Amino acid sequence: MAERESPEMRRLRREIDALDRKIVQLLNERADKGRAVGREKEANGRRRIRDAEREREVLLRVSMANAGPIPQADLLAIYRRLMAATRALEARDRERLADGEAGDGD
């Protein structure tokens, strides 16, 4: 038998749902910016997708901005995964570009 939700619990869950929609929007916006950085790197002749120094800077800034309650280690794990997903998007973009260029001469 399911427990009844209090009005307060329903309200809090609606607020969480709204925050989740905002977080998804912001994550996708961040990914789009990361892809734009990737296109700029490619245009400037940079072959490597990963920029370890930049990733360290991002993690440092995130750490400094974290006032809790999320533990630092958890927040850094989230950001490491976010950066990995963005790198994967950048790699996919580069593959598509390479495939498109390869197909131009056919």
Side-chain angles (χ1 to χ4, degrees), residues 78-98:
I78 291 166
Y79 265 82
R80 284 185 184 101
R81 183 64 193 110
L82 178 58
M83 289 186 288
T86 304
R87 284 194 309 271
L89 288 170
E90 185 178 339
R92 190 179 74 197
D93 288 347
R94 286 189 183 197
E95 288 172 13
R96 285 183 182 161
L97 182 61

Side-chain angles (χ1 to χ4, degrees), residues 7-68:
E8 178 66 5
M9 187 178 294
R10 280 193 302 275
R11 183 189 66 76
L12 290 168
R13 286 183 171 167
R14 279 193 308 270
E15 289 178 10
I16 288 171
D17 292 345
L19 287 170
D20 285 342
R21 286 188 297 274
K22 288 179 186 177
I23 290 168
V24 168
Q25 178 185 353
L26 289 170
L27 288 172
N28 282 310
E29 187 177 326
R30 188 188 191 286
D32 283 339
K33 297 294 182 196
R35 291 173 74 195
V37 167
R39 288 188 296 274
E40 188 64 22
K41 286 191 292 191
E42 178 100 24
N44 288 307
R46 286 193 45 196
R47 293 192 181 279
R48 290 181 35 234
I49 290 174
R50 185 165 192 212
D51 183 342
E53 180 61 30
R54 171 65 181 156
E55 289 183 14
R56 278 191 291 277
E57 290 172 7
V58 169
L59 294 174
L60 178 60
R61 284 189 189 96
V62 166
S63 294
M64 291 170 46
N66 186 23

